[in-house]
Amino acid sequence: MEKRVGWFRVLGAFLIALIMGVLAGSLVQTQFNLLALRNLGVEIGLGTRLQTSLEDLVNFAPVYAVVFGASFLVSQLVASLMIRQLELRGRAPFLSLGAAVGLWVTFKLVDFLAPMPTLIAATRGAGGMVAMLATAAVAGWLFAHFSRRRRGLPRHLAIGAVIITLGWMAPQESALADASSGYRLETFASGLEHPWSLAFLPDGRALVTERPGRLRLLSADGQQVSEPLAGVPKVFASGQAGLFDVLVAPDFEQSRHIYLAYACGTWSANHTCVARGRLVPNGLDDVREVFRSLPAKTGDAHYGGRMAWLPDATLILTLGDGFDYREEAQKLTSHIGTIIRINRDGSAPEDNPFIAEAEALPEIFSYGHRNVQGAVYDWGNNRLITHEHGPRGGDEINVIEGGTNYGWPVATLGLDYTGARVSPFTEYDGMASPALDWTPSIAPSGMTLYDGDLFPEWQGSLLVGALAARRVHRVVLSNDGAVDMETLFGELNERIRDVRTGPEGAVFLLTDSPEGRVIRVTPW
C-alpha cells in the first residue's frame, strides 16, 4: 500500500509540474510575441494583452504540452537515474537543469524535423529561448519539491492533474466542393522535378523552371522537353529555396531577354535574386544579376519569387519574410516581406513611393507581406493583384497600391502553426485589409487572370493554385472585395504550383512533386 501511494505522489508531482511548465511556457511565448510587435511601435493595451494570453492558453498550450511533455518526461527520467546512480545530493538543481537541457534539445530537434525553420516563434531570439528554458527549469524544481517523501500530494489532486492534462478536440473544418464542369485534363509534359513556373514564348513554345535549379524548353505540343538549358545562374536549392519564376520580356522578339527569380547565396546568408539573360538555341547568354534582396537571411523558407510586368515596363518582384524574420516586413530598411518595383536593368524607378525617404530602400513598392507567391496584372482594370500565404489560416488576396502597408505581422487573420497568436489584431489603422482571405489555409501558389475564349464562364476570374488544398480556386474580384466561387481540378489530388493561361485559351497547371507534370485543361 505504501508503494502504491508513493507512485501516486510521484505521478501527481510530475503532472502538476508539467501543467505549470506548460502554462508558464505559453505565457512566456505570448509576451515575447507581443514584445516583438511593441518594438515595431504597435500599441498593445492591458486588456488586449490579457485576452491574447488567454487565447494562447486555449490554442497554443495543447500543442506546447506535447512538445514540453515529451521533453519533460525523458529529461526527468534521465536526471533521476543519474541522481540515483551517482548518489548525488540535492535533487532539485539536477532535475531543474535536466528539464532545461531536455527542452533545449527538443526545440532543436523539432526545428530540424519540422518544415518551418522555428516552430515556436518566441525561441527565434536568445532572450525568448532563455525565458522558455527557465520555465522548464522551474517545472523541474516543482517536480523535485512535490515528489519529496514528506511532501506527498493527496490522491485526488493527482487524479485532478490527470484530468487537466486531457487534450482538446479540434473542430472539423469545411471545404468548398469541387465544380463538376465539362473540362478535360491531359498530361502536356512530364518528368519534371518540382516544376515552379511556366512562361510561353511568342512561337508557342514554353519555358519551365524546376526548383532544384534547372530551366527547360517545351515544344509547342509538349512532346519534347529539352535538356536543362545552359547559363542559368547558380541557385541555392534547399527546402523552399531554388529556382522560382521565369518571365519573358515585353520586347522579347527584339531583345530575346528573359528574367529569372531564384534563391542565391548559402544556407547562412541567402537572398532572393533576379537575373536577366538572352535566350539562345542552347541556353542563356549574357546573363547578369539585376537585383539582390537585402539583408541576407539564414534558412531556406519564404522567398516569394513571383514576377509581373506593369504597363510602364517596370518589373514587380514579390518577396517573403524568411519565416523567422517576420518583423522585418514592417521596416522600409529591409526588402524582406515586401514587393519591389525595378526597371529592367535593376535600377529603382524615380517615381517609386519611398524613393525620397533617406532610410528606405528605393526599390520597395509595398510592404507588410508574409510570403507572396502569386502576382498578376489586370490590364482591363489597371490593377496589380497578388496573394500571399498566411500561417495557419489567413491566406490573402490583395489589390496592391504603391506605398501601402499590408499588415503582416501586425494584422493577420491567421494563427501561428502552433496555434499561438501572431498578433492580437486582425486589422490595424493605416494598414490595408485583404480583398479575400482563406481560413483554413489553402496554401496559394501561382495564379492567372483568365482571359481566354475556351472557357467563357471563367472570363475575368482569378484561377488560384493551391498546394495544401490540392486544387484550383476560381475567384471573382470586384471593387468591394472578392468571392471564392468554386474549386476546380480536385480530382487530380496534386499540389498545384502554378496556373497559366495558354496562347489559345487553354489552362495549364504545374504539379509540385518529384515527378511533376504540366497539365493542359481544355473543354470537352
Side-chain angles (χ1 to χ4, degrees):
M1 188 67 178
E2 284 296 326
K3 185 175 182 180
R4 184 178 299 173
V5 173
W7 275 110
F8 271 111
R9 181 181 66 245
V10 172
L11 177 62
F14 177 83
L15 291 178
I16 290 297
L18 173 64
I19 292 168
M20 296 304 295
V22 170
L23 295 179
S26 179
L27 292 172
V28 164
Q29 72 84 31
T30 301
Q31 304 319 307
F32 271 87
N33 285 348
L34 294 178
L35 177 62
L37 297 178
R38 285 289 302 273
N39 291 338
L40 294 173
V42 177
E43 295 291 334
I44 301 175
L46 179 60
T48 300
R49 186 177 294 275
L50 290 174
Q51 180 180 347
T52 304
S53 299
L54 290 173
E55 289 176 351
D56 279 353
L57 287 175
V58 173
N59 297 313
F60 169 78
V63 175
Y64 183 60
V66 175
V67 176
F68 178 71
S71 74
F72 193 57
L73 176 61
V74 174
S75 68
Q76 298 307 279
L77 284 173
V78 172
S80 297
L81 287 172
M82 290 182 64
I83 291 169
R84 178 176 298 180
Q85 292 295 322
L86 300 177
E87 298 182 352
L88 300 173
R89 291 188 176 183
R91 298 170 67 246
F94 298 103
L95 292 177
S96 293
L97 179 61
V101 172
L103 185 59
W104 182 82
V105 171
T106 302
F107 282 155
K108 294 300 180 182
L109 181 62
V110 168
D111 289 344
F112 177 77
L113 296 175
M116 63 287 296
T118 305
L119 180 65
I120 296 175
T123 64
R124 292 176 296 160
M129 176 66 83
V130 170
M132 295 294 285
L133 298 184
T135 64
V138 170
W141 181 88
L142 287 173
F143 178 53
H145 177 75
F146 284 119
S147 61
R148 289 176 183 172
R149 192 174 300 277
R150 291 186 296 173
R151 299 286 184 179
L153 293 174
R155 185 176 302 187
H156 68 270
L157 185 56
I159 296 172
V162 174
I163 295 173
I164 293 173
T165 56
L166 293 177
W168 287 259
M169 296 298 293
Q172 296 295 315
E173 297 171 340
S174 59
L176 288 173
D178 278 328
S180 56
S181 24
Y183 52 74
R184 178 173 56 197
L185 302 169
E186 58 180 339
T187 299
F188 183 76
S190 60
L192 301 167
E193 184 177 0
H194 293 288
W196 212 93
S197 175
L198 186 71
F200 288 95
L201 299 174
D203 61 7
R205 295 180 299 164
L207 293 164
V208 61
T209 61
E210 295 175 285
R211 196 175 68 211
R214 294 181 290 269
L215 176 67
R216 297 183 188 269
L217 188 62
L218 308 182
S219 61
D221 59 6
Q223 296 299 310
Q224 295 181 345
V225 180
S226 76
E227 293 297 316
L229 300 181
V232 173
K234 184 178 180 180
V235 169
F236 168 57
S238 172
Q240 296 176 9
L243 182 58
F244 305 132
D245 212 356
V246 55
L247 192 64
V248 177
D251 65 345
F252 175 80
E253 291 183 292
Q254 291 77 42
S255 69
R256 305 291 294 177
H257 281 158
I258 68 164
Y259 289 74
L260 296 173
Y262 56 100
C264 59
T266 64
W267 170 270
S268 58
N270 56 77
H271 319 256
T272 302
C273 291
V274 174
R276 183 182 71 188
R278 191 162 50 87
L279 186 64
V280 295
N282 296 319
L284 301 179
D285 190 18
D286 191 25
V287 177
R288 71 180 189 91
E289 181 184 298
V290 298
F291 174 78
R292 176 175 291 228
S293 63
L294 296 173
K297 64 178 187 62
T298 300
D300 58 4
H302 289 195
Y303 291 85
R306 288 290 177 193
M307 297 182 290
W309 293 111
L310 297 185
D312 59 2
T314 57
L315 179 65
I316 288 292
L317 170 69
T318 71
L319 296 166
D321 69 347
F323 195 91
D324 279 345
Y325 302 83
R326 63 194 188 199
E327 289 80 19
E328 292 291 301
Q330 287 295 316
K331 301 175 183 178
L332 295 176
T333 54
S334 171
H335 289 127
I336 292 174
T338 69
I339 293 175
I340 63 118
R341 173 176 172 250
I342 56 175
N343 293 314
R344 291 171 57 181
D345 62 0
S347 61
E350 294 182 357
D351 59 347
N352 263 0
F354 304 108
I355 197 80
E357 297 191 21
E359 299 298 320
L361 293 174
E363 300 87 358
I364 294 176
F365 189 67
S366 63
Y367 63 111
H369 300 287
R370 185 171 182 267
N371 190 23
V372 186
Q373 290 196 323
V376 297
Y377 190 78
D378 180 358
W379 297 88
N381 294 287
N382 297 316
R383 57 189 178 183
L384 175 64
I385 306 166
T386 68
H387 66 58
E388 63 187 81
H389 292 262
R392 195 168 124 187
D395 297 341
E396 298 180 356
I397 286 183
N398 290 296
V399 177
I400 302 298
E401 296 182 4
T404 301
N405 183 346
Y406 287 84
W408 177 258
V410 176
T412 175
L413 290 157
L415 299 175
D416 214 339
Y417 294 106
T418 59
R421 275 275 176 202
V422 174
S423 170
F425 306 106
T426 56
E427 55 185 27
Y428 199 81
D429 287 346
M431 299 180 183
S433 296
L436 176 69
D437 71 276
W438 284 284
T439 299
S441 175
I442 66 168
S445 52
M447 70 174 171
T448 187
L449 183 64
Y450 186 76
D451 59 358
D453 297 325
L454 295 185
F455 297 98
E457 67 274 24
W458 297 348
Q459 276 278 352
S461 297
L462 294 169
L463 301 181
V464 182
L467 297 165
R470 294 174 174 261
R471 61 195 70 196
V472 169
H473 288 247
R474 184 171 75 87
V475 174
V476 174
L477 194 63
S478 68
N479 293 330
D480 300 324
V483 178
D484 194 349
M485 301 295 292
E486 61 180 341
T487 60
L488 304 162
F489 321 132
E491 62 269 34
L492 287 170
N493 193 30
E494 295 198 58
R495 289 163 53 89
I496 306 299
R497 172 57 73 181
D498 199 9
V499 186
R500 300 285 174 165
T501 304
E504 297 178 356
V507 174
F508 288 80
L509 314 174
L510 298 189
T511 65
D512 181 37
S513 75
E515 294 293 331
R517 298 183 291 161
V518 180
I519 306 293
R520 186 171 183 261
V521 186
T522 54
W524 278 111

PDB file of all heavy atoms in Angstrom, residues 294-315:
ATOM      1  N   LEU A 294      18.033  42.575 -49.811  1.00  0.00           N
ATOM      2  CA  LEU A 294      18.851  42.880 -48.637  1.00  0.00           C
ATOM      3  C   LEU A 294      17.961  43.020 -47.411  1.00  0.00           C
ATOM      4  O   LEU A 294      16.822  43.485 -47.528  1.00  0.00           O
ATOM      5  CB  LEU A 294      19.633  44.181 -48.857  1.00  0.00           C
ATOM      6  CG  LEU A 294      20.668  44.173 -49.993  1.00  0.00           C
ATOM      7  CD1 LEU A 294      21.225  45.575 -50.206  1.00  0.00           C
ATOM      8  CD2 LEU A 294      21.778  43.182 -49.720  1.00  0.00           C
ATOM      9  N   PRO A 295      18.429  42.610 -46.241  1.00  0.00           N
ATOM     10  CA  PRO A 295      19.719  41.996 -45.959  1.00  0.00           C
ATOM     11  C   PRO A 295      19.691  40.499 -46.254  1.00  0.00           C
ATOM     12  O   PRO A 295      18.645  39.936 -46.569  1.00  0.00           O
ATOM     13  CB  PRO A 295      19.883  42.247 -44.462  1.00  0.00           C
ATOM     14  CG  PRO A 295      18.478  42.204 -43.938  1.00  0.00           C
ATOM     15  CD  PRO A 295      17.633  42.826 -45.009  1.00  0.00           C
ATOM     16  N   ALA A 296      20.864  39.855 -46.113  1.00  0.00           N
ATOM     17  CA  ALA A 296      20.921  38.396 -46.220  1.00  0.00           C
ATOM     18  C   ALA A 296      20.191  37.779 -45.040  1.00  0.00           C
ATOM     19  O   ALA A 296      20.090  38.378 -43.963  1.00  0.00           O
ATOM     20  CB  ALA A 296      22.383  37.929 -46.242  1.00  0.00           C
ATOM     21  N   LYS A 297      19.672  36.586 -45.226  1.00  0.00           N
ATOM     22  CA  LYS A 297      18.987  35.886 -44.147  1.00  0.00           C
ATOM     23  C   LYS A 297      19.483  34.444 -44.074  1.00  0.00           C
ATOM     24  O   LYS A 297      20.088  33.934 -45.015  1.00  0.00           O
ATOM     25  CB  LYS A 297      17.478  35.911 -44.341  1.00  0.00           C
ATOM     26  CG  LYS A 297      16.994  35.170 -45.574  1.00  0.00           C
ATOM     27  CD  LYS A 297      15.489  35.177 -45.690  1.00  0.00           C
ATOM     28  CE  LYS A 297      15.000  34.298 -46.819  1.00  0.00           C
ATOM     29  NZ  LYS A 297      15.368  32.871 -46.630  1.00  0.00           N
ATOM     30  N   THR A 298      19.198  33.806 -42.955  1.00  0.00           N
ATOM     31  CA  THR A 298      19.563  32.409 -42.737  1.00  0.00           C
ATOM     32  C   THR A 298      18.336  31.520 -42.923  1.00  0.00           C
ATOM     33  O   THR A 298      17.227  31.935 -42.613  1.00  0.00           O
ATOM     34  CB  THR A 298      20.133  32.224 -41.322  1.00  0.00           C
ATOM     35  OG1 THR A 298      21.293  33.046 -41.181  1.00  0.00           O
ATOM     36  CG2 THR A 298      20.515  30.773 -41.059  1.00  0.00           C
ATOM     37  N   GLY A 299      18.542  30.300 -43.403  1.00  0.00           N
ATOM     38  CA  GLY A 299      17.438  29.360 -43.558  1.00  0.00           C
ATOM     39  C   GLY A 299      17.007  29.227 -45.003  1.00  0.00           C
ATOM     40  O   GLY A 299      17.593  29.837 -45.908  1.00  0.00           O
ATOM     41  N   ASP A 300      15.957  28.431 -45.227  1.00  0.00           N
ATOM     42  CA  ASP A 300      15.530  28.151 -46.597  1.00  0.00           C
ATOM     43  C   ASP A 300      14.016  28.234 -46.755  1.00  0.00           C
ATOM     44  O   ASP A 300      13.397  27.398 -47.392  1.00  0.00           O
ATOM     45  CB  ASP A 300      16.036  26.779 -47.044  1.00  0.00           C
ATOM     46  CG  ASP A 300      15.574  25.634 -46.141  1.00  0.00           C
ATOM     47  OD1 ASP A 300      14.789  25.897 -45.206  1.00  0.00           O
ATOM     48  OD2 ASP A 300      15.992  24.489 -46.378  1.00  0.00           O
ATOM     49  N   ALA A 301      13.410  29.282 -46.172  1.00  0.00           N
ATOM     50  CA  ALA A 301      11.953  29.416 -46.229  1.00  0.00           C
ATOM     51  C   ALA A 301      11.543  30.832 -46.632  1.00  0.00           C
ATOM     52  O   ALA A 301      12.247  31.804 -46.345  1.00  0.00           O
ATOM     53  CB  ALA A 301      11.336  29.071 -44.870  1.00  0.00           C
ATOM     54  N   HIS A 302      10.394  30.919 -47.302  1.00  0.00           N
ATOM     55  CA  HIS A 302       9.681  32.170 -47.582  1.00  0.00           C
ATOM     56  C   HIS A 302      10.514  33.159 -48.402  1.00  0.00           C
ATOM     57  O   HIS A 302      11.059  34.133 -47.888  1.00  0.00           O
ATOM     58  CB  HIS A 302       9.210  32.827 -46.281  1.00  0.00           C
ATOM     59  CG  HIS A 302       8.100  32.089 -45.616  1.00  0.00           C
ATOM     60  ND1 HIS A 302       7.328  32.642 -44.622  1.00  0.00           N
ATOM     61  CD2 HIS A 302       7.615  30.838 -45.795  1.00  0.00           C
ATOM     62  CE1 HIS A 302       6.431  31.747 -44.213  1.00  0.00           C
ATOM     63  NE2 HIS A 302       6.599  30.646 -44.921  1.00  0.00           N
ATOM     64  N   TYR A 303      10.547  32.926 -49.704  1.00  0.00           N
ATOM     65  CA  TYR A 303      11.296  33.778 -50.628  1.00  0.00           C
ATOM     66  C   TYR A 303      10.408  34.627 -51.528  1.00  0.00           C
ATOM     67  O   TYR A 303      10.905  35.523 -52.195  1.00  0.00           O
ATOM     68  CB  TYR A 303      12.188  32.902 -51.528  1.00  0.00           C
ATOM     69  CG  TYR A 303      13.317  32.253 -50.793  1.00  0.00           C
ATOM     70  CD1 TYR A 303      13.146  31.045 -50.126  1.00  0.00           C
ATOM     71  CD2 TYR A 303      14.577  32.854 -50.747  1.00  0.00           C
ATOM     72  CE1 TYR A 303      14.190  30.446 -49.444  1.00  0.00           C
ATOM     73  CE2 TYR A 303      15.625  32.261 -50.060  1.00  0.00           C
ATOM     74  CZ  TYR A 303      15.429  31.060 -49.413  1.00  0.00           C
ATOM     75  OH  TYR A 303      16.464  30.473 -48.721  1.00  0.00           O
ATOM     76  N   GLY A 304       9.094  34.341 -51.582  1.00  0.00           N
ATOM     77  CA  GLY A 304       8.286  34.993 -52.610  1.00  0.00           C
ATOM     78  C   GLY A 304       8.682  34.415 -53.953  1.00  0.00           C
ATOM     79  O   GLY A 304       8.574  33.220 -54.203  1.00  0.00           O
ATOM     80  N   GLY A 305       9.140  35.277 -54.864  1.00  0.00           N
ATOM     81  CA  GLY A 305       9.720  34.792 -56.111  1.00  0.00           C
ATOM     82  C   GLY A 305       8.859  34.919 -57.351  1.00  0.00           C
ATOM     83  O   GLY A 305       9.250  34.435 -58.414  1.00  0.00           O
ATOM     84  N   ARG A 306       7.672  35.573 -57.273  1.00  0.00           N
ATOM     85  CA  ARG A 306       6.851  35.798 -58.472  1.00  0.00           C
ATOM     86  C   ARG A 306       7.182  37.161 -59.077  1.00  0.00           C
ATOM     87  O   ARG A 306       7.514  38.117 -58.355  1.00  0.00           O
ATOM     88  CB  ARG A 306       5.371  35.756 -58.131  1.00  0.00           C
ATOM     89  CG  ARG A 306       4.844  34.379 -57.819  1.00  0.00           C
ATOM     90  CD  ARG A 306       4.795  33.487 -59.032  1.00  0.00           C
ATOM     91  NE  ARG A 306       4.342  32.140 -58.654  1.00  0.00           N
ATOM     92  CZ  ARG A 306       4.422  31.079 -59.433  1.00  0.00           C
ATOM     93  NH1 ARG A 306       4.933  31.201 -60.640  1.00  0.00           N
ATOM     94  NH2 ARG A 306       3.998  29.908 -59.015  1.00  0.00           N
ATOM     95  N   MET A 307       7.051  37.231 -60.392  1.00  0.00           N
ATOM     96  CA  MET A 307       7.307  38.482 -61.110  1.00  0.00           C
ATOM     97  C   MET A 307       6.118  38.812 -62.008  1.00  0.00           C
ATOM     98  O   MET A 307       5.361  37.920 -62.412  1.00  0.00           O
ATOM     99  CB  MET A 307       8.575  38.363 -61.951  1.00  0.00           C
ATOM    100  CG  MET A 307       9.841  38.127 -61.144  1.00  0.00           C
ATOM    101  SD  MET A 307      11.342  38.058 -62.176  1.00  0.00           S
ATOM    102  CE  MET A 307      11.091  36.491 -63.037  1.00  0.00           C
ATOM    103  N   ALA A 308       5.979  40.105 -62.312  1.00  0.00           N
ATOM    104  CA  ALA A 308       4.936  40.559 -63.233  1.00  0.00           C
ATOM    105  C   ALA A 308       5.375  41.883 -63.838  1.00  0.00           C
ATOM    106  O   ALA A 308       6.098  42.672 -63.197  1.00  0.00           O
ATOM    107  CB  ALA A 308       3.597  40.723 -62.510  1.00  0.00           C
ATOM    108  N   TRP A 309       4.921  42.124 -65.069  1.00  0.00           N
ATOM    109  CA  TRP A 309       5.196  43.407 -65.728  1.00  0.00           C
ATOM    110  C   TRP A 309       4.061  44.387 -65.471  1.00  0.00           C
ATOM    111  O   TRP A 309       2.885  44.020 -65.516  1.00  0.00           O
ATOM    112  CB  TRP A 309       5.345  43.212 -67.235  1.00  0.00           C
ATOM    113  CG  TRP A 309       6.552  42.427 -67.646  1.00  0.00           C
ATOM    114  CD1 TRP A 309       6.571  41.179 -68.192  1.00  0.00           C
ATOM    115  CD2 TRP A 309       7.919  42.833 -67.542  1.00  0.00           C
ATOM    116  NE1 TRP A 309       7.852  40.774 -68.431  1.00  0.00           N
ATOM    117  CE2 TRP A 309       8.715  41.779 -68.044  1.00  0.00           C
ATOM    118  CE3 TRP A 309       8.546  43.989 -67.067  1.00  0.00           C
ATOM    119  CZ2 TRP A 309      10.104  41.839 -68.092  1.00  0.00           C
ATOM    120  CZ3 TRP A 309       9.939  44.052 -67.114  1.00  0.00           C
ATOM    121  CH2 TRP A 309      10.696  42.993 -67.624  1.00  0.00           C
ATOM    122  N   LEU A 310       4.426  45.642 -65.230  1.00  0.00           N
ATOM    123  CA  LEU A 310       3.454  46.731 -65.160  1.00  0.00           C
ATOM    124  C   LEU A 310       3.379  47.403 -66.525  1.00  0.00           C
ATOM    125  O   LEU A 310       4.253  47.198 -67.379  1.00  0.00           O
ATOM    126  CB  LEU A 310       3.855  47.730 -64.076  1.00  0.00           C
ATOM    127  CG  LEU A 310       3.883  47.192 -62.631  1.00  0.00           C
ATOM    128  CD1 LEU A 310       4.186  48.318 -61.651  1.00  0.00           C
ATOM    129  CD2 LEU A 310       2.581  46.494 -62.271  1.00  0.00           C
ATOM    130  N   PRO A 311       2.333  48.211 -66.777  1.00  0.00           N
ATOM    131  CA  PRO A 311       2.169  48.810 -68.106  1.00  0.00           C
ATOM    132  C   PRO A 311       3.347  49.666 -68.557  1.00  0.00           C
ATOM    133  O   PRO A 311       3.584  49.810 -69.759  1.00  0.00           O
ATOM    134  CB  PRO A 311       0.904  49.666 -67.945  1.00  0.00           C
ATOM    135  CG  PRO A 311       0.142  48.998 -66.845  1.00  0.00           C
ATOM    136  CD  PRO A 311       1.179  48.470 -65.904  1.00  0.00           C
ATOM    137  N   ASP A 312       4.105  50.231 -67.602  1.00  0.00           N
ATOM    138  CA  ASP A 312       5.248  51.071 -67.973  1.00  0.00           C
ATOM    139  C   ASP A 312       6.532  50.259 -68.160  1.00  0.00           C
ATOM    140  O   ASP A 312       7.626  50.827 -68.213  1.00  0.00           O
ATOM    141  CB  ASP A 312       5.467  52.173 -66.937  1.00  0.00           C
ATOM    142  CG  ASP A 312       5.722  51.616 -65.535  1.00  0.00           C
ATOM    143  OD1 ASP A 312       5.766  50.375 -65.378  1.00  0.00           O
ATOM    144  OD2 ASP A 312       5.871  52.419 -64.593  1.00  0.00           O
ATOM    145  N   ALA A 313       6.385  48.912 -68.242  1.00  0.00           N
ATOM    146  CA  ALA A 313       7.517  48.000 -68.448  1.00  0.00           C
ATOM    147  C   ALA A 313       8.455  47.952 -67.257  1.00  0.00           C
ATOM    148  O   ALA A 313       9.600  47.510 -67.389  1.00  0.00           O
ATOM    149  CB  ALA A 313       8.281  48.332 -69.723  1.00  0.00           C
ATOM    150  N   THR A 314       8.006  48.383 -66.089  1.00  0.00           N
ATOM    151  CA  THR A 314       8.774  48.132 -64.877  1.00  0.00           C
ATOM    152  C   THR A 314       8.399  46.753 -64.345  1.00  0.00           C
ATOM    153  O   THR A 314       7.324  46.222 -64.639  1.00  0.00           O
ATOM    154  CB  THR A 314       8.517  49.198 -63.794  1.00  0.00           C
ATOM    155  OG1 THR A 314       7.110  49.257 -63.504  1.00  0.00           O
ATOM    156  CG2 THR A 314       9.007  50.566 -64.259  1.00  0.00           C
ATOM    157  N   LEU A 315       9.316  46.187 -63.576  1.00  0.00           N
ATOM    158  CA  LEU A 315       9.186  44.801 -63.138  1.00  0.00           C
ATOM    159  C   LEU A 315       8.822  44.734 -61.662  1.00  0.00           C
ATOM    160  O   LEU A 315       9.460  45.388 -60.820  1.00  0.00           O
ATOM    161  CB  LEU A 315      10.509  44.066 -63.367  1.00  0.00           C
ATOM    162  CG  LEU A 315      10.580  42.594 -62.943  1.00  0.00           C
ATOM    163  CD1 LEU A 315       9.629  41.749 -63.784  1.00  0.00           C
ATOM    164  CD2 LEU A 315      12.015  42.079 -63.065  1.00  0.00           C
TER     165      LEU A 315
END
